[in-house]
mmCIF file with all atom_site columns, all heavy atoms in Angstrom:
data_model
loop_
_atom_site.group_PDB
_atom_site.id
_atom_site.type_symbol
_atom_site.label_atom_id
_atom_site.label_alt_id
_atom_site.label_comp_id
_atom_site.label_asym_id
_atom_site.label_entity_id
_atom_site.label_seq_id
_atom_site.pdbx_PDB_ins_code
_atom_site.Cartn_x
_atom_site.Cartn_y
_atom_site.Cartn_z
_atom_site.occupancy
_atom_site.B_iso_or_equiv
_atom_site.pdbx_formal_charge
_atom_site.auth_seq_id
_atom_site.auth_comp_id
_atom_site.auth_asym_id
_atom_site.auth_atom_id
_atom_site.pdbx_PDB_model_num
ATOM 1  N N   . LEU A 1 31 ? 68.167 12.563 -47.845 1.00 62.00 ? 42 LEU A N   1
ATOM 2  C CA  . LEU A 1 31 ? 66.861 12.413 -48.471 1.00 62.00 ? 42 LEU A CA  1
ATOM 3  C C   . LEU A 1 31 ? 67.006 12.208 -49.972 1.00 62.00 ? 42 LEU A C   1
ATOM 4  O O   . LEU A 1 31 ? 67.988 12.638 -50.581 1.00 62.00 ? 42 LEU A O   1
ATOM 5  C CB  . LEU A 1 31 ? 66.006 13.650 -48.194 1.00 62.00 ? 42 LEU A CB  1
ATOM 6  C CG  . LEU A 1 31 ? 65.664 13.902 -46.725 1.00 62.00 ? 42 LEU A CG  1
ATOM 7  C CD1 . LEU A 1 31 ? 64.938 15.221 -46.578 1.00 62.00 ? 42 LEU A CD1 1
ATOM 8  C CD2 . LEU A 1 31 ? 64.835 12.769 -46.158 1.00 62.00 ? 42 LEU A CD2 1
ATOM 9  N N   . PRO A 1 32 ? 66.029 11.564 -50.575 1.00 71.00 ? 43 PRO A N   1
ATOM 10 C CA  . PRO A 1 32 ? 66.081 11.379 -52.029 1.00 71.00 ? 43 PRO A CA  1
ATOM 11 C C   . PRO A 1 32 ? 65.893 12.703 -52.748 1.00 71.00 ? 43 PRO A C   1
ATOM 12 O O   . PRO A 1 32 ? 65.451 13.694 -52.159 1.00 71.00 ? 43 PRO A O   1
ATOM 13 C CB  . PRO A 1 32 ? 64.908 10.423 -52.294 1.00 71.00 ? 43 PRO A CB  1
ATOM 14 C CG  . PRO A 1 32 ? 63.981 10.630 -51.146 1.00 71.00 ? 43 PRO A CG  1
ATOM 15 C CD  . PRO A 1 32 ? 64.855 10.935 -49.966 1.00 71.00 ? 43 PRO A CD  1
ATOM 16 N N   . PRO A 1 33 ? 66.234 12.767 -54.031 1.00 81.00 ? 44 PRO A N   1
ATOM 17 C CA  . PRO A 1 33 ? 66.057 14.016 -54.778 1.00 81.00 ? 44 PRO A CA  1
ATOM 18 C C   . PRO A 1 33 ? 64.592 14.394 -54.877 1.00 81.00 ? 44 PRO A C   1
ATOM 19 O O   . PRO A 1 33 ? 63.695 13.569 -54.674 1.00 81.00 ? 44 PRO A O   1
ATOM 20 C CB  . PRO A 1 33 ? 66.656 13.683 -56.154 1.00 81.00 ? 44 PRO A CB  1
ATOM 21 C CG  . PRO A 1 33 ? 66.615 12.195 -56.239 1.00 81.00 ? 44 PRO A CG  1
ATOM 22 C CD  . PRO A 1 33 ? 66.808 11.695 -54.843 1.00 81.00 ? 44 PRO A CD  1
ATOM 23 N N   . ARG A 1 43 ? 59.113 14.241 -53.540 1.00 82.00 ? 54 ARG A N   1
ATOM 24 C CA  . ARG A 1 43 ? 60.292 13.398 -53.425 1.00 82.00 ? 54 ARG A CA  1
ATOM 25 C C   . ARG A 1 43 ? 60.268 12.306 -54.491 1.00 82.00 ? 54 ARG A C   1
ATOM 26 O O   . ARG A 1 43 ? 59.206 11.832 -54.882 1.00 82.00 ? 54 ARG A O   1
ATOM 27 C CB  . ARG A 1 43 ? 60.349 12.741 -52.046 1.00 82.00 ? 54 ARG A CB  1
ATOM 28 C CG  . ARG A 1 43 ? 60.491 13.721 -50.889 1.00 82.00 ? 54 ARG A CG  1
ATOM 29 C CD  . ARG A 1 43 ? 61.876 14.293 -50.815 1.00 82.00 ? 54 ARG A CD  1
ATOM 30 N NE  . ARG A 1 43 ? 62.050 15.110 -49.613 1.00 82.00 ? 54 ARG A NE  1
ATOM 31 C CZ  . ARG A 1 43 ? 63.067 15.931 -49.432 1.00 82.00 ? 54 ARG A CZ  1
ATOM 32 N NH1 . ARG A 1 43 ? 63.988 16.055 -50.362 1.00 82.00 ? 54 ARG A NH1 1
ATOM 33 N NH2 . ARG A 1 43 ? 63.159 16.629 -48.322 1.00 82.00 ? 54 ARG A NH2 1
ATOM 34 N N   . VAL A 1 44 ? 61.433 11.914 -54.927 1.00 84.00 ? 55 VAL A N   1
ATOM 35 C CA  . VAL A 1 44 ? 61.570 10.804 -55.868 1.00 84.00 ? 55 VAL A CA  1
ATOM 36 C C   . VAL A 1 44 ? 62.023 9.591  -55.068 1.00 84.00 ? 55 VAL A C   1
ATOM 37 O O   . VAL A 1 44 ? 63.206 9.420  -54.781 1.00 84.00 ? 55 VAL A O   1
ATOM 38 C CB  . VAL A 1 44 ? 62.575 11.133 -56.991 1.00 84.00 ? 55 VAL A CB  1
ATOM 39 C CG1 . VAL A 1 44 ? 62.628 9.992  -57.997 1.00 84.00 ? 55 VAL A CG1 1
ATOM 40 C CG2 . VAL A 1 44 ? 62.194 12.426 -57.683 1.00 84.00 ? 55 VAL A CG2 1
ATOM 41 N N   . TRP A 1 45 ? 61.077 8.748  -54.700 1.00 82.00 ? 56 TRP A N   1
ATOM 42 C CA  . TRP A 1 45 ? 61.396 7.573  -53.908 1.00 82.00 ? 56 TRP A CA  1
ATOM 43 C C   . TRP A 1 45 ? 61.819 6.426  -54.821 1.00 82.00 ? 56 TRP A C   1
ATOM 44 O O   . TRP A 1 45 ? 62.041 6.606  -56.016 1.00 82.00 ? 56 TRP A O   1
ATOM 45 C CB  . TRP A 1 45 ? 60.203 7.189  -53.035 1.00 82.00 ? 56 TRP A CB  1
ATOM 46 C CG  . TRP A 1 45 ? 59.795 8.281  -52.100 1.00 82.00 ? 56 TRP A CG  1
ATOM 47 C CD1 . TRP A 1 45 ? 58.724 9.111  -52.217 1.00 82.00 ? 56 TRP A CD1 1
ATOM 48 C CD2 . TRP A 1 45 ? 60.473 8.696  -50.904 1.00 82.00 ? 56 TRP A CD2 1
ATOM 49 N NE1 . TRP A 1 45 ? 58.674 10.009 -51.181 1.00 82.00 ? 56 TRP A NE1 1
ATOM 50 C CE2 . TRP A 1 45 ? 59.736 9.779  -50.355 1.00 82.00 ? 56 TRP A CE2 1
ATOM 51 C CE3 . TRP A 1 45 ? 61.614 8.263  -50.244 1.00 82.00 ? 56 TRP A CE3 1
ATOM 52 C CZ2 . TRP A 1 45 ? 60.112 10.420 -49.180 1.00 82.00 ? 56 TRP A CZ2 1
ATOM 53 C CZ3 . TRP A 1 45 ? 61.988 8.902  -49.068 1.00 82.00 ? 56 TRP A CZ3 1
ATOM 54 C CH2 . TRP A 1 45 ? 61.239 9.966  -48.553 1.00 82.00 ? 56 TRP A CH2 1
#
Side-chain angles (χ1 to χ4, degrees):
L42 296 174
R54 297 286 187 194
V55 183
W56 301 104

